[in-house]
Amino acid sequence: MTWHLISEKVNVKVAPKLGWEVQVIRVFLVLVLSCLSAAAADGDKAWQVLEKNCLGCHGTANPAGLDLHYREAILKGGKHGPAAVPGNADGSLLYRAAAHDGALKMPPGSKAPLPEQELAVLRQWINDGLAAPSKANVSAHWAFQPVKAVTPPEDASGWSWNGVDRFIQAKLHEKGLPPVAVADRRTLIRRAYFDLIGLAPTPEEVTSFVADSSPDAYPKLVDRLLSSPRYGERWGRHWMDVVHYADTAGDNADYPVPEARLYRDYIIDSFNKDKPFNEFVQEQLAGDILAKQGPPEKYAER
């Protein structure tokens, strides 16, 4: 599921294989909820107005019968007809509803039209042709692209020791920051232990690593920590925090739930078995369906 690489030269951690850092987990969850309104991230003022006032109801789930995420859907409209007419804001239901011009007034429950500044943005956007993401553009978002090999940037300074270092050095150079000093071996082993399993190495383990001058001493250390049961316990905790896992029912009674440990153990085992990220997320969202589909030996796990 992941491969952490602790740089020997800077105090960072990266996940070049699948990016299973807790930050990336959170980014993934945000993307699931908001990737279809990616145009807002490009500074599209009209899309920001829609995202603020409209997409909560008129989103992909279509609870209000109208999807405003795509240009095609806006032109198709809902039960009242097309939501907007490119080049004609005054004749567009979307603009008129936001301006409270007519029987339909949006957002629901609003006692006044949108602020003049936001209305002006919508008006200009529609009159200029209704530029909005299409389904094709959204599917082209970087989060939906297949994983591919990327060539690390060149490092003219000679500071980098490997491809990961070259990415780090390029970003440092872009920000005008100098790299930190090379970590000594005592610092390096402590870094690896705390990052991968959340525990400190014993004095004997530190002494052994410091004395080991073989070129593969560090890769062997990382492999050993990744294969430790403590690895899944350490990194599974982050996912359990995201989904608000608890051993008890919560609320007023807060009584123990003995079966909760099964989910906890499933999370830990998934990390320790290096389960593919996409399979892991699918099981979180549709485990009951997957279990019925088989195979029988994975029924309980799913």
Side-chain angles (χ1 to χ4, degrees):
M1 189 183 295
T2 183
W3 178 268
H4 290 73
L5 189 149
I6 318 304
S7 174
E8 297 185 49
K9 305 191 74 176
V10 291
N11 187 10
V12 298
K13 51 180 179 290
V14 297
K17 182 178 178 182
L18 283 174
W20 191 252
E21 299 285 344
V22 63
Q23 296 92 336
V24 179
I25 294 174
R26 295 184 186 277
V27 169
F28 173 83
L29 294 176
V30 172
L31 284 171
V32 169
L33 298 174
S34 64
C35 60
L36 294 179
S37 47
D42 298 328
D44 188 324
K45 293 182 179 180
W47 211 247
Q48 292 175 7
V49 173
L50 290 179
E51 187 175 43
K52 174 184 176 183
N53 300 286
C54 309
L55 298 187
C57 291
H58 299 290
T60 53
N62 277 334
L66 172 64
D67 185 354
L68 295 178
H69 270 108
Y70 307 118
R71 190 176 193 274
E72 301 94 321
I74 294 172
L75 294 175
K76 180 181 178 181
K79 63 182 180 181
H80 297 290
V85 180
N88 184 7
D90 290 329
S92 295
L93 187 60
L94 173 62
Y95 176 78
R96 295 184 62 190
H100 286 202
D101 179 13
L104 187 63
K105 296 176 173 56
M106 292 290 172
S110 57
K111 297 181 180 180
L114 295 186
E116 287 296 330
Q117 184 177 3
E118 294 184 354
L119 285 174
V121 169
L122 286 179
R123 184 181 183 85
Q124 186 69 42
W125 171 60
I126 296 173
N127 285 337
D128 285 347
L130 199 68
S134 67
K135 289 187 178 181
N137 290 338
V138 172
S139 63
H141 188 267
W142 68 265
F144 297 102
Q145 302 311 302
V147 177
K148 61 182 180 181
V150 178
T151 302
E154 296 297 327
D155 178 15
S157 71
W159 174 85
S160 302
W161 289 357
N162 52 52
V164 175
D165 284 345
R166 285 158 63 183
F167 281 107
I168 295 169
Q169 171 59 17
K171 184 59 66 172
L172 289 173
H173 180 73
E174 176 186 320
K175 300 296 183 180
L177 299 173
V180 299
V182 176
D184 61 74
R185 295 182 71 78
R186 186 177 299 274
T187 300
L188 188 60
I189 185 175
R190 288 177 58 82
R191 234 179 242 175
Y193 265 75
F194 281 118
D195 179 66
L196 295 178
I197 67 173
L199 300 171
T202 66
E204 292 77 16
E205 288 169 330
V206 173
T207 299
S208 176
F209 180 72
V210 170
D212 188 351
S213 59
S214 59
D216 62 345
Y218 183 67
K220 287 193 300 184
L221 169 67
V222 172
D223 285 339
R224 179 163 57 84
L225 294 176
L226 287 173
S227 63
S228 167
R230 307 288 85 77
Y231 171 77
E233 295 169 2
R234 153 78 164 151
W235 284 97
R237 287 180 59 248
H238 293 300
W239 183 270
M240 286 185 269
D241 286 344
V242 169
V243 298
H244 295 185
Y245 169 82
D247 289 321
T248 59
D251 203 8
N252 294 328
D254 201 29
Y255 53 86
V257 180
E259 296 83 0
R261 66 170 181 82
L262 299 174
Y263 178 70
R264 177 197 65 201
D265 293 346
Y266 157 79
I267 299 296
I268 294 171
D269 290 342
S270 295
F271 277 83
N272 284 333
K273 292 178 180 177
D274 201 25
K275 178 175 290 188
F277 178 76
N278 60 325
E279 180 180 339
F280 178 75
V281 173
Q282 287 173 358
E283 290 175 350
Q284 305 289 301
L285 300 176
D288 52 345
I289 298 175
L290 294 173
K292 292 179 181 179
Q293 292 177 348
E297 62 269 18
K298 300 198 78 173
Y299 184 89
E301 177 183 352
R302 288 177 165 176

